[in-house]
Amino acid sequence: MNQIGFLGLGRMGAAISIRMAEAGSSVTVWNRSRTAAESELLAAGMTRAESAAEALAAPISFSMLADDSAADAVLSRENIGVAGRRRVHVNMASVSAQMADLLTRRFSDADVKYVAAPVLGRPEVAAKGGLNILVAGPREAVEEVDPLLAAASVRRWVLGESPRQANAVKVAMNFMLLHALESMGEGIALVEAEGVDGSDFVDLFTSTFFGGPIHQVYGRIIADRRYDPPGFTVALGLKDLTLAEQLAAERRVSLPTAPVLRTQFETALADPALAGLDWSVIAELGRTRSS
């Protein structure tokens, strides 16, 4: 039985840890605050770690933390400790490429292998084992953790031996997804302004030019205005946009559409009625202008 630690029990982290436990791993979990999800995981047979350091001491540990700040604080040099035996840590969060570099050095200094494995998919997809996972890190470590990642995914995309490569690809994917949300919102607002039902329009574009899962899932959410509960919040969407802007600045790549997206997300985040909803709620800004 694999002995693993899992840090970060938001909706995504909880779903992934459950899949790993169901696949036969013995899972020790840790979260910065006590949550309802944690109670459910303990009831399912998992063990609570008393500290982040205890969870990180497992032979293989995973983390799904909110952002760079959380990753920096939780995956601290003090919490990592000193490797008395071979250990691997897998960071499944969407962090910046710069944070990936910092964590790679930090874990290396402790003689712990570090793998980046950000995910593509919503929590309900993880619960069904349907994620795509972007993986980069030392080859042997990647091969060692692949069976564990397989419990929550349909495919692991190995992108290189530098962890930052996986995080850079996730940043680029999310940047494209942000555009899909904005374009669907604008298109639906256009047809609704002409008296065409938004759901009919979603049926049209998902059956013809835009048949992928992003358009199918989020097109329906936007048409039906089902923004609660959020699978991914407005604040996290703005975080991912910021990561794309930072990576572009580092690599001197031009992102001319980024300012438009920033305006949309900052506007939604400033509205108390929208701020706590799913990030696709930016579609409501277009509807407001057209009404």
Side-chain angles (χ1 to χ4, degrees), residues 42 46 55 68 80 88 127 169 180 205 213 225 228 231 246 256 258 278-279:
L42 298 177
M46 299 187 200
D68 278 22
I80 296 169
V88 179
V169 171
F205 67 66
R225 290 180 160 95
D228 192 27
Q246 291 173 346
D278 191 87
W279 61 340

Side-chain angles (χ1 to χ4, degrees), residues 25-288:
S25 293
S26 176
V27 185
T28 298
V29 296
W30 180 88
N31 200 56
R32 285 185 293 178
S33 60
R34 299 294 168 88
T35 67
E38 183 181 14
S39 299
E40 294 174 7
L41 299 183
L42 298 177
M46 299 187 200
T47 303
R48 177 192 290 130
E50 294 304 319
S51 65
E54 181 183 344
L56 286 167
I60 301 177
S61 59
F62 297 81
S63 59
M64 179 61 85
L65 302 163
D67 52 26
D68 278 22
S69 177
D72 190 28
V74 173
L75 306 178
S76 66
R77 185 64 181 82
E78 179 181 9
N79 286 337
I80 296 169
V82 178
R85 62 180 187 275
R86 190 177 189 279
R87 281 192 288 153
V88 179
H89 181 73
V90 184
N91 184 358
M92 303 188 73
S94 296
V95 299
S96 68
Q98 295 89 339
M99 179 55 61
D101 286 340
L102 185 154
L103 292 174
T104 299
R105 293 192 298 270
R106 189 178 289 173
F107 277 91
S108 177
D109 289 344
D111 198 25
V112 178
K113 301 297 183 184
Y114 178 76
V115 175
V119 306
L120 302 179
R122 292 164 62 90
E124 58 267 30
V125 176
K128 297 177 181 178
L131 295 174
N132 279 269
I133 302 181
L134 313 175
V135 186
R139 183 174 304 173
E140 290 185 4
V142 167
E143 292 175 353
E144 184 175 357
V145 302
D146 183 74
L148 297 170
L149 295 173
S153 63
V154 293
R155 181 167 176 178
R156 278 77 58 212
W157 300 79
V158 179
L159 300 165
E161 296 197 37
S162 172
R164 72 172 279 140
Q165 291 173 305
N167 292 115
V169 171
K170 178 61 188 296
V171 167
M173 290 291 288
N174 276 358
F175 187 61
M176 294 171 67
L177 202 163
L178 294 171
H179 286 82
L181 297 179
E182 178 63 19
S183 68
M184 282 187 286
E186 292 179 11
I188 290 171
L190 279 173
V191 302
E192 287 179 339
E194 290 295 329
V196 176
D197 187 278
S199 293
D200 291 340
F201 184 58
V202 173
D203 288 341
L204 171 64
F205 67 66
T206 57
S207 298
T208 53
F209 295 152
F210 303 101
I214 291 301
H215 289 87
Q216 291 174 358
V217 171
Y218 283 106
R220 191 61 56 196
I221 288 173
I222 293 170
D224 297 342
R225 290 180 160 95
R226 286 188 290 104
Y227 305 117
D228 192 27
F232 203 72
T233 65
V234 175
L236 290 176
L238 183 58
K239 178 210 77 170
D240 282 343
L241 174 60
T242 300
L243 294 182
E245 293 170 329
Q246 291 173 346
L247 184 60
E250 179 186 356
R251 295 304 192 191
R252 297 184 180 180
V253 174
S254 175
L255 302 179
T257 57
V260 175
L261 292 170
R262 174 163 290 278
T263 296
Q264 292 292 81
F265 275 88
E266 288 181 344
T267 300
L269 197 59
D271 186 337
L274 305 181
L277 300 178
D278 191 87
W279 61 340
S280 55
V281 79
I282 61 169
E284 294 304 303
L285 301 176
R287 281 169 162 157
T288 300

